[in-house]
Amino acid sequence: MAITGIGSGLDIQGMVAALVNAEAAPKTAQLNRLEKATTTKFSALGQFRSALSDFQKTVKDLNSASLFEKRTATSGKTDIFTVSADTKAVAGSYSVQVYSLAQSSKVALQGFTDPTSSLGAGELEISFGGDAPLKINVTDEASGLAGIRDAINAAGKEKGLSATIVNDPSGAGGARLVLSSTKSGVGNDISVAVSRGGAELQKLAFPPPAFDTTDPLAPKVITQAADAKFAIDGIQMSSKSNAVADAIDGVTLTLKGAQPQEELDNANTISLTVGEDRAGVKTSLKSFVDGYNKLMTTVGSLTKVTAVGGDSGQPLTGGLVGDASVRSFMTGIRGDLGNPVGSGGLKILSDLGISTQRDGTLKIDDTKLDKVLADNFGQLSSFLTGDGGLMAKLEKTLEPYTKSDGIIDSRTKGLQNTLDSVDDQREALTRRVGKLETRLLDQFNRMDTLIGQMSGTSDYLAGVLGSLPGVVKQSK
């Protein structure tokens, strides 16, 4: 709502606002344009740096000699054994036979017709390998089978020994403790000695001097600890564990099952093959190509100019159109990809079957790449990795743009300073136009007061003159 001058009848508030807006408008428009352009470039540089960082990670992953040292290992029958290999493994083929698996010990102790009765307090010593016997304290309060089971499980949890209670539904075999060990291999059988306790507790001793096979309550061996038996290239071997890590250098076999006796009788063998991890290298190369193409797509969108509304329309431009940093980077990376590396048979990416398309992206010829992986695997490593390899050159080109306080980081900080400056200039403009508004309002209000006074004086004089004798009053 406009405020009208009392003395003059003028819209003083409106007049002052118009003058203030006229003073502020050019500077405001300038700051808005500067802020928009700076924000657009700030955002575009952030996208550019993010794309460069993603591509840089792909380049670093490929610039690793260990990638070419990885080995694959294949089992001819994974239900008999599986296999893995590390960088120490040498490519080759082997013939394997598996006769038996390594077993751990499992025993059933003396059976009791009344599982709830107390066996009395005392101490058990359980041996199940090379460690010192596991001592189990049996208290009066927990001297039944359940209490002894719980004491064994608590003490043996971290050592690979467990106990459970098995009940014979017919009652003939009673209830008994069954002890299981996780330690496989000859010499790791479970034995139980009662170092302290009465006659009932002594019945848990295992093995006793002799087993009475006719007594259904007699203790029993369920499985005996045994070594795995197998052969590699006809050489007979054994292992306390089913995970065999020291038979072939750099190769670990995990035995899963024994071969059927018929196969063993016929001397049937299972193949074990160790080879170079060519599939892994190919996957890394494809990731490199995908990463490069993603980078080129991002750069293309940030430097694209799109016509709008025909010749007269204002074109839409990407945030980094004509940007010197982008031009410099593109020149560098294209030079890296196009210039020869080393002196071997592989010098440029096209020798691998990776070529540049018209839109600047890369494309893989799988047939050509597979041939290189098969015929020149060792040379491929020297072409891609090491100080003189292609990936090292790309990393050197990328680093100035992605590192802290690098090219993009410095430019981003400069743009942020510009945005801060815009905020400061807006605050200064607000203060200046505020002072201008105050001054104009004061001037116009004083003018309005003066006009009011003059109008009052004029009316007074007109009244006095009109009342003088001889003055003819005009009819209204």
Side-chain angles (χ1 to χ4, degrees), residues 314-338:
Q314 185 71 22
L316 296 176
T317 59
L320 297 178
V321 170
D323 189 86
S325 297
V326 175
R327 288 200 308 270
S328 175
F329 168 75
M330 292 304 297
T331 299
I333 198 167
R334 284 170 178 161
D336 291 339
L337 296 179

Side-chain angles (χ1 to χ4, degrees), residues 427-465:
E427 291 178 4
L429 178 62
T430 300
R431 290 193 297 269
R432 183 162 62 84
V433 297
K435 291 178 180 179
L436 175 63
E437 182 181 35
T438 300
R439 187 173 74 251
L440 290 175
L441 283 173
D442 180 63
Q443 291 175 346
F444 273 88
N445 284 330
R446 282 191 281 111
M447 177 196 72
D448 183 69
T449 301
L450 181 59
I451 291 175
Q453 291 174 351
M454 292 175 64
S455 178
T457 302
S458 175
D459 291 342
Y460 171 74
L461 290 175
V464 171
L465 293 173

Side-chain angles (χ1 to χ4, degrees), residues 391-405:
M391 295 302 113
K393 291 175 63 178
L394 292 176
E395 282 195 64
K396 187 175 181 180
T397 298
L398 286 161
E399 186 180 10
Y401 296 88
T402 58
K403 70 178 182 179
S404 179
D405 294 327

Side-chain angles (χ1 to χ4, degrees), residues 169-245:
S170 70
R176 63 180 77 223
L177 287 171
V178 174
L179 306 184
S180 302
S181 168
T182 59
K183 295 182 179 180
S184 58
V186 173
N188 291 326
D189 288 299
I190 296 173
S191 64
V192 180
V194 181
S195 57
R196 176 170 52 85
E200 286 300 303
L201 191 63
Q202 290 289 341
K203 291 179 181 179
L204 293 180
F206 182 92
F211 292 152
D212 183 354
T213 56
T214 63
D215 182 1
L217 298 177
K220 295 176 174 61
V221 174
I222 300 173
T223 59
Q224 190 170 10
D227 290 348
K229 302 292 184 181
F230 59 99
I232 298 177
D233 287 345
I235 303 172
Q236 303 295 317
M237 301 181 181
S238 65
S239 170
K240 287 185 176 296
S241 170
N242 287 317
V244 184

Side-chain angles (χ1 to χ4, degrees), residues 36 228 473:
K36 181 179 179 181
K473 294 182 180 179

